[in-house]
Amino acid sequence: MQERRMFQRFNIEIPVEFHSLDEKKIEGKGKIINISAEGGGMVVTTEYLLPATPLEMQLIIPDNKAPLTVNAKVIWLKAMEPTLFLAGVQFDKVDFMGMARALRLHK
């Protein structure tokens, strides 16, 4: 099977806070578990997010700087447990400088 991703994905754990930009106004916390310049996988503990839900996300990068704010949309959602979800998100715009901050945590 041919890889479809344009950017390499890195395993990483970054806390994230988010809210939806639609009329539902869903808010939540979770963590990014892998990231690329294009998007990432996010574990969300309690919120069920429908595909295509627009989000504003604050990535809490532990470098004593302001959180990295990114807009994204939910591409897919998978239930891991009854109240634990894994969501795939796609970033609206690539912030290469912001991604560089996050990737410094990659081991």
Side-chain angles (χ1 to χ4, degrees), residues 12-14 18 24 39 53 60 74 76 89 93 97-98:
I12 197 165
E13 288 194 16
I14 300 173
F18 64 90
K24 294 179 184 172
T53 300
I60 315 300
V74 177
W76 53 265
V89 297
K93 294 181 182 174
M97 294 303 289

Side-chain angles (χ1 to χ4, degrees), residues 48-95:
Y48 184 86
L49 299 167
L50 291 174
T53 300
L55 301 174
E56 181 178 274
M57 302 170 61
Q58 303 284 322
L59 283 64
I60 315 300
I61 301 170
D63 61 0
N64 296 320
K65 296 182 181 178
L68 173 61
T69 301
V70 296
N71 286 347
K73 71 176 175 180
V74 177
I75 301 299
W76 53 265
L77 187 77
K78 178 180 177 182
M80 306 299 287
E81 295 176 12
T83 59
L84 181 67
F85 302 98
L86 178 62
V89 297
Q90 181 179 30
F91 301 141
D92 287 345
K93 294 181 182 174
V94 179
D95 176 353

Side-chain angles (χ1 to χ4, degrees), residues 16-22 24-30 44-49 55-56:
V16 64
E17 297 176 1
F18 64 90
H19 65 270
S20 66
L21 297 173
D22 60 8
K24 294 179 184 172
K25 303 293 183 200
I26 297 169
E27 294 184 0
K29 294 182 180 182
V44 179
T45 56
T46 59
E47 300 304 323
Y48 184 86
L49 299 167
L55 301 174
E56 181 178 274

